Amino acid sequence: SLELRALAGELIGDQPDAWDRAGAIPEDLVRKLAEAGALCAEVPARYGGLGLSSAESGEFTAYVGSRCSSLRSLMTSQGMAAWTIQRLGDRGQRTEFLPRLTSGAVAAVGFSETGAGSDLSTMDTEIRSDGDSVVVDGHKVWVTAADYADLLVVFGRYEGGAAAAVVPATTPGVHVERVPEPMGCRAAGHANIRLDGVRLPAANLLGGAGQSTAMLVTTALAYGRISVAWGCVGILRACLAEVRGHAVSREQFGKPLGEHQLVARHVAELLVAEQSATRACEHASRRWDERSPEMVLATVLAKYVSSRQAADGAASAVQVLASAGARDSHPVARAYRDAKLMEIIEGSNEICQLILSEHVLAGAK
Ligand code: FAD
């Protein structure tokens, strides 16, 4: 994973501020990382992947997240698509789709709709079998990476339950339209997707079709959550580095900012935020690597802790840098906008709190 970090570091260089302002990452760079299997680094070697453990992949995700949350978002989407195919797909589907995701294809995952945000049981998108085909009709919103994607994993209603289908983005009836001016992760290619009578081979319908929405989306979301959580660790590390540099070099009232106790408190709180988010993520990744039944809860906990810490920590970083960081696309300004969105996606703070409290209360019954 050190080689992977070197490759990503070299490709990213000092460009994330410019990508944020342009609202796009150069496609050839995305393609190079996809070809190296770096966008979904946990896919096992038998499917052409790098086979990293959750802990190794998490540290790599944090590294990319410390440099560019938009690129890290593409990793989250690609990894979530791969994990969904690995878990729900049969052998043929795993063999067909996973090697594409480790050799250059880019993928996105669509659950959300205009009327179905936190409550995905109200999804309107319909997936139906029709002879040798499946047909998908619906409208997905805010799909990260969709503007770059070759493959879209689309969730919808299916025969009284739910299902997921793998939709090549070039299939007739697929219309992808960029979300204008997202507040953060501006180069992550968020798009709304209209699917009008999209006809696919039956083999593109993933396994588990007809099962409950909760069961199917939880599989995909679990990967998304741990990936976002590690990404937030990266945001905190970037903020800590910016604050450290500024607090020792900038002087006011005759001494470095860091020697003013109220500023020192921000520095200490940022370290606490970075360390507690890291520990929560390491704990969750260990549960993943053991395939422990506790992994789902540990992941929700990590996502909740990390995104809250990142949003608070990024706000403190902007405070400490003040005018030096108050410029659009400066690393702390990006961190501030990007981290706020991490409190909304893959299960908002409130939805995470409900899951955590349900766990506690169920234990009392
Ligand atoms: P709502 O569900 O309308 O919630 C509004 C507010 O009410 C929130 O604060 C929420 O926490 C709160 N709330 C809702 N229900 C409850 C409750 N029961 N109890 C307490 N509070 C509640 N979707 C995809 O499918 N794929 C993607 O790749 C993707 N990427 C995204 C990237 C970004 C940057 C953003 C902003 C969104 C993305 N989304 C994606 C959509 C995202 O999943 C939804 O925004 C999220 O699920 C919340 O839904 P909503 O925005 O409709 O808010």
Side-chain angles (χ1 to χ4, degrees):
S1 64
L2 279 179
E3 272 170 43
L4 206 53
R5 187 187 276 234
L7 170 72
E10 193 177 314
L11 289 173
I12 295 169
D14 60 359
Q15 301 172 86
D17 291 7
W19 296 342
D20 188 70
R21 282 193 299 277
I25 301 170
E27 291 238 17
D28 61 332
L29 186 150
V30 174
R31 201 61 72 187
K32 269 189 198 139
L33 287 168
E35 279 166 7
L39 297 181
C40 51
E42 288 168 55
V43 171
R46 64 182 177 282
Y47 301 117
L50 299 170
L52 295 197
S53 67
S54 174
E56 292 165 332
S57 158
E59 275 295 339
F60 177 57
T61 304
Y63 173 69
V64 174
S66 73
R67 309 289 304 278
C68 178
S69 284
S70 291
L71 184 56
R72 193 277 308 148
S73 298
L74 301 193
M75 289 169 61
T76 298
S77 294
Q78 181 99 348
M80 191 159 53
W83 176 246
T84 305
I85 291 165
Q86 203 182 318
R87 291 308 301 254
L88 301 181
D90 60 23
R91 179 191 278 269
Q93 290 167 328
R94 291 195 296 269
T95 316
E96 160 74 17
F97 296 118
L98 291 177
R100 289 169 65 180
L101 297 186
T102 56
S103 65
V106 175
V109 183
F111 319 92
S112 305
E113 300 178 1
T114 317
S118 300
D119 181 7
L120 291 173
S121 69
T122 61
M123 282 188 303
D124 259 345
T125 295
E126 191 192 23
I127 302 178
R128 63 186 166 83
S129 294
D130 180 20
D132 287 346
S133 311
V134 273
V135 181
V136 187
D137 277 288
H139 188 214
K140 295 292 173 188
V141 297
W142 271 101
V143 180
T144 301
D147 200 42
Y148 299 92
D150 306 289
L151 294 176
L152 307 163
V153 175
V154 174
F155 284 79
R157 286 191 287 118
Y158 179 87
E159 291 180 359
V166 181
V167 181
T170 50
T171 316
V174 176
H175 308 277
V176 176
E177 195 178 306
R178 280 291 290 262
V179 172
E181 300 176 359
M183 169 185 161
C185 301
R186 289 180 178 166
H190 308 113
N192 301 330
I193 307 170
R194 214 152 36 78
L195 302 122
D196 291 330
V198 175
R199 190 169 283 275
L200 309 160
N204 287 36
L205 181 68
L206 293 178
Q211 298 203 26
S212 78
T213 308
M215 195 300 260
L216 292 177
V217 300
T218 301
T219 299
L221 282 177
Y223 187 97
R225 285 170 179 158
I226 195 159
S227 176
V228 164
W230 276 110
C232 288
V233 167
I235 289 177
L236 285 163
R237 291 179 183 168
C239 287
L240 201 50
E242 291 290 337
V243 163
R244 185 174 42 215
H246 195 66
V248 296
S249 61
R250 165 92 173 157
E251 291 194 2
Q252 286 294 281
F253 299 98
K255 56 183 178 182
L257 289 178
E259 290 179 23
H260 294 291
Q261 289 182 340
L262 293 178
V263 176
R265 181 165 66 184
H266 283 304
V267 177
E269 291 291 348
L270 253 173
L271 178 67
V272 171
E274 184 273 326
Q275 285 289 300
S276 45
T278 301
R279 296 290 95 77
C281 287
E282 285 172 348
H283 173 75
S285 276
R286 270 197 300 276
R287 302 288 90 87
W288 272 74
D289 288 332
E290 299 160 1
R291 291 290 184 264
S292 153
E294 284 170 38
M295 71 189 233
V296 174
L297 189 75
T299 297
V300 174
L301 193 79
K303 196 275 172 181
Y304 179 72
V305 169
S306 301
S307 62
R308 287 209 57 183
Q309 297 285 11
D312 290 353
S316 302
V318 174
Q319 192 68 18
V320 172
L321 270 84
S323 62
R327 173 173 60 70
D328 211 13
S329 306
H330 181 283
V332 295
R334 273 194 288 125
Y336 182 67
R337 290 187 276 103
D338 297 344
K340 181 63 212 167
L341 296 184
M342 298 306 107
E343 295 195 297
I344 296 172
I345 63 165
E346 314 289 358
S348 63
N349 282 355
E350 290 78 11
I351 297 301
C352 290
Q353 285 172 319
L354 290 177
I355 297 170
L356 295 170
S357 80
E358 270 165 27
H359 169 76
V360 173
L361 300 178
K365 280 180 193 157

